[in-house]
Amino acid sequence: MRLVLDAMGGDHAPGAPVEGALLFARAHPDHEVLLVGDRERMVPLLGRGRPPSNLHLHHASEVVEMDDHASSAFRRKRDSSLRVGFELVRDGKADALVSAGNSGAVMAGGLLTLGRLPGVERPAIATLFPALKGGGRCLLLDAGANVDCRPTHLAQFGVMGEAYVRSRLGVARPRVAVLSNGEEASKGTPLTREASELLRRSDLDFVGYVEGKDLFSGDVQVVVTDGFTGNIVLKTSEGVGMGVIGLLRQAIEKRGGLPEKLGALLLQPALAGLRRVVDYAEYGGAPLLGIQGVGIVAHGRSTPRALYNALGAALATARGGLQEELTRCIERASVWLPTHQKGKKATDEAVSD
Amino acid sequence: MRLVLDAMGGDHAPGAPVEGALLFARAHPDHEVLLVGDRERMVPLLGRGRPPSNLHLHHASEVVEMDDHASSAFRRKRDSSLRVGFELVRDGKADALVSAGNSGAVMAGGLLTLGRLPGVERPAIATLFPALKGGGRCLLLDAGANVDCRPTHLAQFGVMGEAYVRSRLGVARPRVAVLSNGEEASKGTPLTREASELLRRSDLDFVGYVEGKDLFSGDVQVVVTDGFTGNIVLKTSEGVGMGVIGLLRQAIEKRGGLPEKLGALLLQPALAGLRRVVDYAEYGGAPLLGIQGVGIVAHGRSTPRALYNALGAALATARGGLQEELTRCIERASVWLPTHQKGKKATDEAVSD
């Protein structure tokens, strides 16, 4: 496999991407990594020794910034690392792209360069949450790409999410739910109610509404929501997880007694495990489901380790016919889920969201 | 002060309310507690000794159930504990009401029995989040009452939240924000963008958009959102907080070595503090801001300790002219925030939401 890593995307670019690419290339000699970005800034970061032979630099002179307007910046900056990277995927010179940059621009780039899978109205960012009980994990989508969703979009997210969890995580029959403000069918918004009605007609194992806490319960494996709510859920859980860890550390330092210090030392392995579960760095990347090709959105604050993991996610997503499975499931779902948004106009609408 | 506690509301009713009322009445001999509910079920729970003289039972034969349709159940069940309790407040026989029951019904009851403060379009559930950094706390509203919000509603939530934090938490100049899926002004939905435009015209210390993680950063003290998103944020943070604690415990038990057990023992005070911060039980109740009177929504899973705290929140909210301050601020805000929804029709609309 040949994987593109956007060297200019994310808060710690290009340092973190270059280091992440080095880690990955060394650990996976059978695969190739293409670092796309400003060559003059990348070269000094490679260090003194000879870089691994499976690591390649590909120059691109522009950068889509975090505060750029996503789609217009992607369109305007024709030599941006993100755009050049996606074109490598489009032209068959790479199998997947990973970027920790502006997630709206990654989505716009996927839509404009690679296009949507047949029948897909809106691609979604699919983020895997750690289950804090029971051991299973839960896929949340959309985690931020589509602010303005229609019921058919949410239903398609359910179809794609189910296919992903089944084929990538090996869950035989994932349970699918709609995120709402209560479990009773009378709760929710017109969007969640209509999406639920659609999903109820499907052949998925649809369980109805779940609440925010159920993302971590291990009871459901796929939860669909609009990108506005999904992003807020993501950031809220990140805030709590990191905050709790900080608080624990603070309590230990503040009390400062020998017992607490000893306690913290003895609990170090448990705390490290805890941190790994809540920390995005270990989680790596979220695939864009529904585009014709593999695009992975990594967290803006990604460390080298996070980007190493995101490249691993790209490998797992690109391997073994996921796109075909997604296409098959969307096609099969058209019996109960008629879709209408085809062609360029729909792409433009999705991009502008 | 005379405080009504709905003895039939919540997952552990009437046991938890009766026990919480006993705790509170004993600890606060200067105040009266009115337990409203099924007398025959309450009496045996009072135990053998003579109940405190400041604890009174008030019979009500019906119960608004958790899965009842909120407003119609409140209207239909004329002898429900919730309705009888609110009527005691309306008739001046009590100063505040606390219920761990159906929060939609508590809101409907507040609207229908007590009515709205002058100029208020929609009351909101105001939930206080623990700050996990910096020590300050953050008020989120609406945390679940109004699923379908307009920009003026969110702006009024900002006004009421600011008044509450200033007068109850003693923060001189609270920073107010709109919850969104990113900090850039280009993010958000039409609702968040229009609400931000309104708040920008205000004399509040309005900082624009914040993300979910900022609820715990200590940087802002008031965050406004619609009740759908607010409820999901609340439940998500609850899920993460409880899950992380469970995971820590699990890791300790699973590894099971003497070092970990010793570590956990030594860290017990820190872990207990942590739990107190994330656990709703210690947080007690969320006031309904914007109704003519004091109504406190407690968590459905409230323990006796949680209801004890919610009664404390009722006391704090009922004391010292909060209603007058809210009315004054809403009135003053009408310069930049013209409101239109007055009279019975608007109440009906708010109730049906």
Side-chain angles (χ1 to χ4, degrees), chain A residues 204-222:
Chain A
L204 305 177
D205 189 2
F206 178 64
V207 301
Y209 284 162
V210 292
E211 300 186 318
K213 63 184 163 56
D214 299 307
L215 286 162
F216 310 94
S217 68
D219 293 339
V220 288
Q221 288 79 44
V222 179

Side-chain angles (χ1 to χ4, degrees), chain B residues 222-289:
Chain B
V222 179
V223 173
V224 301
T225 188
D226 64 273
F228 177 78
T229 310
N231 182 275
I232 287 175
V233 162
L234 201 68
K235 300 286 176 64
T236 299
S237 57
E238 184 185 351
V240 180
M242 302 303 271
V244 165
I245 287 175
L247 200 75
L248 200 56
R249 187 181 299 139
Q250 200 182 17
I252 293 164
E253 283 168 8
K254 198 174 174 184
R255 299 183 60 90
L258 194 59
E260 282 79 14
K261 284 193 177 139
L262 193 60
L265 200 66
L266 297 172
L267 272 183
Q268 207 57 51
L271 290 172
L274 172 70
R275 193 178 176 90
R276 198 170 55 243
V277 172
V278 291
D279 196 342
Y280 276 64
E282 294 291 323
Y283 265 75
L288 292 177
L289 296 186

Side-chain angles (χ1 to χ4, degrees), chain B residues 13-183:
Chain B
V18 169
E19 202 178 324
L22 278 168
L23 285 172
F24 192 87
R26 286 193 187 114
H28 298 84
D30 297 346
H31 301 291
E32 316 263 316
V33 181
L34 282 79
L35 262 174
V36 180
D38 184 339
R39 186 182 297 270
E40 283 187 30
R41 293 186 62 195
M42 293 191 286
V43 170
L45 295 166
L46 289 171
R48 294 215 183 155
R50 234 182 94 190
S53 62
N54 60 336
L55 177 67
H56 311 280
L57 302 190
H58 193 107
H59 183 67
S61 63
E62 292 180 286
V63 179
V64 177
E65 305 288 352
M66 285 311 247
D67 53 0
D68 272 342
H69 184 274
S71 57
S72 62
F74 187 85
R75 282 190 166 108
R76 202 178 62 244
K77 296 180 172 177
R78 306 184 72 90
D79 198 40
S80 70
S81 56
L82 190 61
R83 181 150 174 175
V84 170
F86 265 126
E87 285 169 353
L88 289 167
V89 177
R90 180 195 63 195
D91 298 342
K93 292 174 183 156
D95 300 288
L97 172 140
V98 172
S99 177
N102 185 322
S103 64
V106 181
M107 175 54 92
L111 281 162
L112 294 167
T113 315
L114 306 179
R116 293 170 292 157
L117 288 175
V120 169
E121 294 188 336
R122 293 283 184 92
I125 298 177
T127 295
L128 205 52
F129 274 80
L132 297 179
K133 286 182 197 161
R137 293 160 84 185
C138 181
L139 192 74
L140 176 79
L141 65 175
D142 175 26
N146 308 282
V147 165
D148 174 33
C149 283
R150 279 193 278 270
T152 51
H153 301 158
L154 260 57
Q156 280 202 338
F157 297 166
V159 173
M160 293 194 290
E162 198 263 356
Y164 182 87
V165 167
R166 189 162 31 73
S167 74
R168 298 295 108 167
L169 304 187
V171 177
R173 190 142 168 79
R175 288 157 63 88
V176 180
V178 169
L179 187 63
S180 184
N181 60 328
E183 286 174 9

Side-chain angles (χ1 to χ4, degrees), chain A residues 194 196-204 206 335-338:
Chain A
E194 287 171 39
S196 292
E197 267 175 49
L198 287 170
L199 284 162
R200 222 173 288 285
R201 291 185 220 152
S202 77
D203 52 1
L204 305 177
F206 178 64
V335 179
W336 56 270
L337 182 60

Side-chain angles (χ1 to χ4, degrees), chain A residues 66-67 69 132 144 147 179-182 184 186 188-189 192 211-213 215-216 226-229 231-233 235-241 243-244 247-248 250-252 255 259-260 262-264 266-267 269-271 274 277-278 301, chain B residues 66-67 69 131-132 144 147 179-182 184 188-189 192 211-213 215-216 226-229 231-233 235-241 243-244 247-248 250-252 255 259-260 262-264 266-267 269-271 274 277-278 301:
Chain A
M66 285 312 246
D67 53 0
H69 184 275
L132 297 179
V147 165
L179 187 62
S180 185
N181 60 329
E184 306 83 5
S186 61
T189 63
T192 63
E211 300 186 318
K213 63 184 163 56
L215 286 162
F216 310 94
D226 63 273
F228 177 78
T229 311
N231 182 276
I232 288 175
V233 162
K235 300 286 175 66
T236 299
S237 57
E238 184 185 352
V240 180
V244 165
L247 201 75
L248 200 57
Q250 199 183 17
I252 293 164
R255 298 184 60 93
E260 282 79 14
L262 193 59
L266 297 174
L267 272 183
L271 290 173
L274 173 69
V277 171
V278 291
R301 288 205 313 273
Chain B
M66 285 311 247
D67 53 0
H69 184 274
L132 297 179
V147 165
L179 187 63
S180 184
N181 60 328
E184 305 83 7
T189 62
T192 64
E211 299 186 319
K213 63 185 162 55
L215 287 162
F216 309 95
D226 64 273
F228 177 78
T229 310
N231 182 275
I232 287 175
V233 162
K235 300 286 176 64
T236 299
S237 57
E238 184 185 351
V240 180
V244 165
L247 200 75
L248 200 56
Q250 200 182 17
I252 293 164
R255 299 183 60 90
E260 282 79 14
L262 193 60
L266 297 172
L267 272 183
L271 290 172
L274 172 70
V277 172
V278 291
R301 287 206 312 273

